[in-house]
Amino acid sequence: MLVALEWRAPSLYFADTMNAPNIAIVGATGAVGMEILRVLERRNFPVASLKLLASARSVGKTIEFKGKPYKVEALKAEAFKGVDIAFFSAGATRSREFAPAARAAGAVVIDNSSAFRMDPKVPLVVPEVNAQDLAHHDGLIANPNCSAAVLAVAVWPIHLAAGIKKIVVSTYQAASGAGAQAMQELEDQVRDYAAGKTLTRSVFPHQIAFNLFSHNTKVAENGYNEEENKVIEEMRKMFHMPHLAIVPTCIRVPVLRAHSEAITLELEKQLSPDDARQILALAPGIKLVDDAAANHFPMPIEASGDLDVHVGRIRRDLSNPNGLVLFVAGDQLLKGAAWNAVQIAEELAKPKAKAMAAE
């Protein structure tokens, strides 16, 4: 039986404040970096010291954490001295450049970029799915693509119950997936539209307000864009199923925050919608939102700000006796990035806490 994760007090992670980790956040002023700070505070995660690292243009800015002001410092190799956990959220280039220095300084790197996800030596982890893979890290852990993270949380309990043979998924991806500037571009275009002004764009290749378009990443030779190929490759790695059949279509939509996904599963055996609801209602990281009478199902506006992935619209695939269809919404900045990263840090602390308790 799947059991929901409970909130754990810091004392269950660390014996006392002296054992709280020293934290660094790379890309601290970006959308994900700011969310990591909020989640650390929201979870009351114990922090002995905090370093906020960013590019030169952000150096000197002040950010408040737990009521205290912290100055943003320059991102450089020597900044990682004494750091225990380094959250990286500054893009693949910066991760490749500075992750080795952080590891050399003794820090465990939790990386939100695509730099190391498909490295066979680097665990790619969603804690609800494959927390056991953290046992094999060598100072570097990858956070999955946001769409893959939301998808994995939603379908893993179904896979445990009935086995997944094939996934067909269409994503409806919010502007938040492209960062704070993309969110601002959507807001600006909506205001300009309402004011009768000409809409301008600089982040997205197409107008995002009142429009949708294929995900703005390069289309590969196989006909799938980079985002779609990430979903395929990363799901296979996290599920330890290298030949799992996955057909993704990734679409950018005019939503500020939280991605949604329409999912059709082909299962190894039949699973009724009622049984699926019971399984998902108990699964960690999931909030069941499936009220057919009120026509109330997952929506990004309700998933925004929630640590859980909202799952609903659960029904049979009428074309396949072993098919199941569902709709999900998950906060891209949280479960798709910041919360998953902090959750990994919480998981890393568990063995230490158990060892302390046994002493």
Side-chain angles (χ1 to χ4, degrees):
M1 181 70 71
L2 293 166
V3 180
L5 288 177
E6 297 177 355
W7 182 88
R8 303 173 184 82
S11 60
L12 294 180
Y13 290 114
F14 302 94
D16 52 53
T17 55
M18 293 299 293
N19 292 303
N22 300 313
I23 302 292
I25 301 176
V26 178
T29 57
V32 175
M34 293 297 293
E35 283 297 334
I36 289 173
L37 280 170
R38 294 187 188 105
V39 174
L40 288 171
E41 188 163 0
R42 180 174 177 176
R43 296 288 292 174
N44 200 20
F45 191 92
V47 177
S49 68
L50 178 65
K51 287 187 177 183
L52 305 181
L53 306 175
S55 62
R57 67 177 179 272
S58 296
V59 171
K61 289 183 178 179
T62 300
I63 298 175
E64 187 174 293
F65 175 69
K66 291 188 175 181
K68 292 176 57 178
Y70 290 83
K71 291 282 189 181
V72 176
E73 303 175 35
L75 174 58
K76 50 188 178 181
E78 51 266 35
F80 296 100
K81 183 179 180 180
V83 170
D84 298 308
I85 299 174
F87 295 101
F88 272 66
S89 298
T93 299
R94 290 289 176 265
S95 291
R96 293 189 187 98
E97 183 178 0
F98 288 100
R103 294 171 72 192
V108 176
V109 172
I110 302 174
D111 183 43
N112 273 291
S113 81
S114 61
F116 308 107
R117 288 174 186 160
M118 296 315 298
D119 186 329
K121 296 179 181 178
V122 178
L124 179 68
V125 175
V126 168
E128 293 90 345
V129 176
N130 61 329
Q132 69 277 4
D133 289 352
L134 291 171
H136 309 294
H137 82 81
D138 187 22
L140 179 58
I141 300 158
N143 233 26
N145 171 272
C146 49
S147 297
V150 170
L151 176 61
V153 170
V155 304
W156 179 251
I158 301 298
H159 176 62
L160 293 179
I164 292 175
K165 292 177 63 177
K166 183 177 181 179
I167 302 172
V168 179
V169 56
S170 295
T171 70
Y172 309 90
Q173 298 186 216
S176 58
Q181 290 183 339
M183 297 170 73
Q184 188 62 53
E185 181 162 294
L186 173 55
E187 290 184 328
D188 290 345
Q189 287 184 1
V190 170
R191 290 192 188 96
D192 289 344
Y193 182 92
K197 298 180 180 179
T198 301
L199 275 60
T200 60
R201 53 182 172 79
S202 59
V203 178
F204 291 119
H206 311 288
Q207 176 183 319
I208 183 64
F210 310 104
N211 189 30
L212 55 82
F213 48 85
S214 182
H215 193 277
N216 49 298
T217 47
K218 184 179 179 181
V219 176
E221 290 184 4
N222 65 357
Y224 289 78
N225 62 39
E226 290 177 3
E227 187 80 356
E228 292 160 351
N229 280 315
K230 286 177 184 178
V231 171
I232 295 169
E233 294 165 357
E234 295 178 24
M235 287 291 292
R236 288 172 173 174
K237 181 176 180 178
M238 287 186 290
F239 278 38
H240 297 279
M241 297 175 67
H243 303 294
L244 177 62
I246 309 176
V247 184
T249 301
C250 295
I251 303 296
R252 188 74 74 184
V253 298
V255 170
L256 271 178
R257 180 165 173 158
H259 293 351
S260 301
E261 301 179 358
I263 305 165
T264 299
L265 303 174
E266 182 180 349
L267 305 176
E268 297 282 354
K269 60 183 181 181
Q270 288 188 24
L271 184 71
S272 73
D274 284 342
D275 286 343
R277 289 185 191 95
Q278 291 181 23
I279 291 166
L280 291 166
L282 295 172
I286 287 176
K287 179 177 290 183
L288 189 65
V289 182
D290 199 53
D291 186 349
N295 205 1
H296 185 184
F297 302 109
M299 294 180 283
I301 197 169
E302 293 183 347
S304 294
D306 198 338
L307 301 182
D308 290 335
V309 174
H310 293 200
V311 182
R313 199 75 213 285
I314 302 164
R315 59 202 190 278
R316 295 184 184 276
D317 177 355
L318 299 180
S319 70
N320 184 344
N322 285 11
L324 196 70
V325 184
L326 52 153
F327 190 78
V328 310
D331 192 313
Q332 177 274 336
L333 293 174
L334 289 174
K335 189 55 198 171
W339 162 227
N340 198 74
V342 173
Q343 204 175 2
I344 287 171
E346 291 183 354
E347 290 289 332
L348 290 174
K350 287 181 182 179
K352 181 178 178 181
K354 291 177 181 178
M356 288 178 177
E359 291 177 358

